[in-house]
Amino acid sequence: MTTVFFAAGAHQWAKYEPHLGAALSRAGVTADIVTEAPDPAAIDYIVFAPGGLIEDFSPFVNTRAVLSLWAGVERVVGNTTLTQPLCRMVDPGLEKGMIEYVTGHALRHHLGMDRFITATAPHWDQKQPPLAQNRKVAVLGLGELGAACAHALARIGFDVHGWSRSPKTLEGLTTASGPDGLDAVLKGAEIVVLLLPDTPATENVLNDRALAQLAPGAAIINPGRGPLIDEGALLDALDSGQVGHATMDVFRQEPLPPDHPFWHHPNVTVTPHIAAWTRPDTASGVVAENVRRGEAGAPFLHLVDRVTGY
């Protein structure tokens, strides 16, 4: 029998217990799911989340894979004791939630809805937004979530330009890569969506130089990672009007400290890291499929590249 150690903690287990066993059964895997591991050498697979039960993976000498419940792996990928294959979570429910968050806020800024929602006095402002096809949107990050959001924005009609560190081709989308490609994608963009991973190569990708490339009054939407943005440069751009609004869901420090300037800036919307959640029912299916693959000797889904960090 396959032994799966759910090491993401009791709080997570309460959410996953109704789903994980059933998902493994549907995948054809006979498994014993344990929430403690008195004998680490007996564990075949670890279901993991940062802050759970494991920091030292070295005793798990026979574990075939560590299956993260998080899409981001920056908090574990540098752990030198983790030598087992590491798979990140790509959850269909999370993807759908991210699409809804990104398209909702993109349309909010595109249509200029804040001027009506926040109005404190009667006014009859009939200023018309351009059609979406005439609004350039830059999507930075073309992994599973970034590509899904870019396609969704393109289906609405936006002029979508995607950027990734390495070249990618996505049907129906204009894409670019590398430093020169970043400049081309950002130049004149009126909405920027950040969905890059958090790595040393992506930190502060949206700095003062990058922000200067945007159309004046551009909107920033960041449901990706907090370190992608140089916060000081963003605040300066907001104060100057180069950036008209920033919708921020992720931050360098979470929860965002009460005295942080983002809370009090009139042109910043703070949401508390809620853009997209991993859904236990759909995520359990992803975990089960990777266990099935491991048992069958097939390649794992969403295997992390330790060099690139994602």
Side-chain angles (χ1 to χ4, degrees):
M1 180 178 289
T2 302
T3 302
V4 177
F5 177 25
F6 191 92
H11 177 68
Q12 292 283 9
W13 178 235
K15 301 175 184 177
Y16 278 85
E17 185 177 10
H19 305 287
L20 185 56
L24 287 162
S25 294
R26 288 194 299 271
V29 177
T30 301
D32 181 23
I33 305 172
V34 299
T35 56
E36 296 180 353
D39 180 9
I43 300 302
D44 297 304
Y45 300 90
I46 295 171
V47 179
F48 172 79
L53 304 181
I54 302 178
E55 292 184 3
D56 182 2
F57 292 85
S58 56
F60 297 89
V61 293
N62 295 315
T63 294
R64 300 172 196 169
V66 174
L67 310 175
S68 177
L69 296 179
W70 285 21
V73 293
E74 62 273 5
R75 287 180 56 180
V76 67
V77 73
N79 186 327
T80 57
T81 71
L82 201 169
T83 58
Q84 302 87 344
L86 171 66
C87 301
R88 61 192 179 88
M89 175 56 63
V90 178
D91 170 29
L94 185 150
E95 178 181 298
K96 291 176 181 178
M98 185 64 80
I99 289 172
E100 292 173 6
Y101 183 95
V102 168
T103 55
H105 283 284
L107 284 168
R108 164 197 170 194
H109 295 305
H110 167 61
L111 297 173
M113 296 305 296
D114 284 10
R115 72 184 190 276
F116 304 115
I117 294 169
T118 62
T120 57
H123 69 293
W124 193 257
D125 179 4
Q126 291 187 304
K127 180 181 178 182
Q128 294 292 315
L131 292 174
Q133 67 190 33
N134 297 318
R135 181 87 74 183
K136 182 177 180 181
V137 177
V139 177
L140 307 189
L142 297 175
E144 284 85 356
L145 293 179
C149 290
H151 280 302
L153 292 166
R155 285 194 294 270
I156 293 170
F158 286 109
D159 177 22
V160 179
H161 296 248
W163 181 83
S164 54
R165 289 181 56 211
S166 56
K168 290 189 177 180
T169 301
L170 298 177
E171 185 177 355
L173 296 177
T174 300
T175 60
S177 62
D180 292 341
L182 181 61
D183 288 345
V185 166
L186 291 178
K187 188 172 180 60
E190 296 180 77
I191 299 174
V192 180
V193 179
L194 290 153
L195 282 167
L196 289 160
D198 176 13
T199 70
T202 61
E203 184 173 5
N204 291 332
V205 66
L206 213 60
N207 53 26
D208 53 356
R209 182 181 180 281
L211 292 167
Q213 306 288 327
L214 308 180
I220 308 296
I221 303 170
N222 185 17
R225 293 289 181 265
L228 301 177
I229 295 180
D230 181 330
E231 292 184 354
L234 177 59
L235 288 165
D236 288 344
L238 285 161
D239 291 340
S240 72
Q242 174 61 14
V243 172
H245 199 99
T247 297
M248 307 288 287
D249 186 60
V250 288
F251 309 93
R252 291 173 185 266
Q253 181 180 346
E254 295 185 3
L256 188 66
D259 59 350
H260 195 286
F262 285 161
W263 284 116
H264 312 291
H265 200 288
N267 294 323
V268 175
T269 298
V270 171
T271 58
H273 205 145
I274 57 167
W277 294 86
T278 299
R279 270 69 173 180
D281 54 345
T282 52
S284 292
V286 178
V287 171
E289 173 60 15
N290 259 338
V291 173
R292 185 198 69 78
R293 284 170 171 259
E295 292 302 282
F300 290 113
L301 295 173
H302 320 308
L303 191 64
V304 173
D305 183 326
R306 303 302 177 89
V307 176
T308 60
Y310 54 88

